[in-house]
């Protein structure tokens, strides 16, 4: 049985709810918690799943390069897991990627089977980006880009995560 929800762009008033969704997953080391300011800075990337006025899920799409984006901070309320909400959020974010002209979407996850069901495959190496693009991405200050590039400075935060990618 599925329950009605809508997916919409995030608003500043949603940041507290995003943090609340992420907190238990961060405690389980499934997601990394961020400083509040980081959620505000990336707010335009977030989509919110809402049911009866309550925020029940979130996810973000971060464009990294002309043809590459990342699904980030995908979280659902525990009561909503297994009801299609995560699926709907991922599909919504992939549709946005297509609309932006992105042809590949990356994720860093412990939920390998979930993303595999959405067409993602484990990345074997860094050949997903051209060497010239790789050198440009090295200039980014974004931690997600560093995670994608598998840089040593983010290793303590990403140990055990799987890097996956999907071609649209």
């Amino acid at each position: 049985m599925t329950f009605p929800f809508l997916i919409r762009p995030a608003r500043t008033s949603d940041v507290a709810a995003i943090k609340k969704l992420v907190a238990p997953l961060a405690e389980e080391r499934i997601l990394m918690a961020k400083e509040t300011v980081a959620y505000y800075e990336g707010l335009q990337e977030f989509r919110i799943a809402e049911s009866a006025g309550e925020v029940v899920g979130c996810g973000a799409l971060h464009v990294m390069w002309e043809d590459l984006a990342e699904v980030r901070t995908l979280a659902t309320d525990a009561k909503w897991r297994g009801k299609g909400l995560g699926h709907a959020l991922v599909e919504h974010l992939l549709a946005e990627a297509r609309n932006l002209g992105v042809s590949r979407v990356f994720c860093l996850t412990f939920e390998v089977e979930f993303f595999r069901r959405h067409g993602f495959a484990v990345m074997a190496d860094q050949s997903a980006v051209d060497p010239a693009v790789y050198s440009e991405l090295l200039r980014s200050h974004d931690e997600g880009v560093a995670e994608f590039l598998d840089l040593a400075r983010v290793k303590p935060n990403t140990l055990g995560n799987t890097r996956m990618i999907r071609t649209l």
Side-chain angles (χ1 to χ4, degrees):
M1 178 177 187
T2 59
F3 297 90
F5 58 86
L6 67 91
I7 297 175
R8 61 165 175 80
R11 298 186 285 258
T12 57
S13 59
D14 295 321
V15 169
I18 293 169
K19 288 185 68 167
K20 185 177 176 184
L21 288 169
V22 170
L25 297 169
E27 286 177 23
E28 294 177 47
R29 299 184 52 86
I30 293 170
L31 288 179
M32 288 184 1
K34 299 176 186 171
E35 297 297 329
T36 303
V37 68
Y39 291 113
Y40 283 111
E41 288 173 343
L43 192 66
Q44 302 90 328
E45 299 175 348
F46 274 89
R47 295 302 171 260
I48 296 297
E50 184 177 70
S51 179
E54 178 186 2
V55 174
V56 295
C58 66
L61 181 74
H62 178 76
V63 174
M64 298 168 74
W65 198 252
E66 177 182 7
D67 64 338
L68 184 65
E70 178 187 9
V71 169
R72 293 182 171 179
T73 319
L74 184 67
T76 60
D77 184 287
K79 297 177 291 201
W80 280 79
R81 295 203 186 110
K83 296 183 168 112
L85 183 61
H87 170 78
L89 281 163
V90 168
E91 291 304 316
H92 187 90
L93 295 170
L94 293 175
E96 285 191 14
R98 283 185 202 92
N99 288 338
L100 291 169
V102 171
S103 59
R104 296 176 303 158
V105 179
F106 159 78
C107 69
L108 183 67
T109 186
F110 287 106
E111 303 297 332
V112 173
E113 289 311 312
F114 173 83
F115 280 97
R116 201 182 307 268
R117 288 192 305 271
H118 290 87
F120 286 77
V122 174
M123 289 177 61
D125 57 34
Q126 216 41 64
S127 64
V129 294
D130 176 271
V133 173
Y134 183 92
S135 98
E136 288 287 335
L137 289 174
L138 283 174
R139 297 180 181 144
S140 174
H141 297 289
D142 185 89
E143 288 299 303
V145 173
E147 291 166 353
F148 172 76
L149 297 177
D150 204 24
L151 300 181
R153 70 181 169 88
V154 295
K155 290 281 190 196
N157 296 328
T158 61
L159 290 177
N161 283 5
T162 300
R163 297 160 67 244
M164 300 183 79
I165 197 160
R166 175 177 168 175
T167 301
L168 300 178

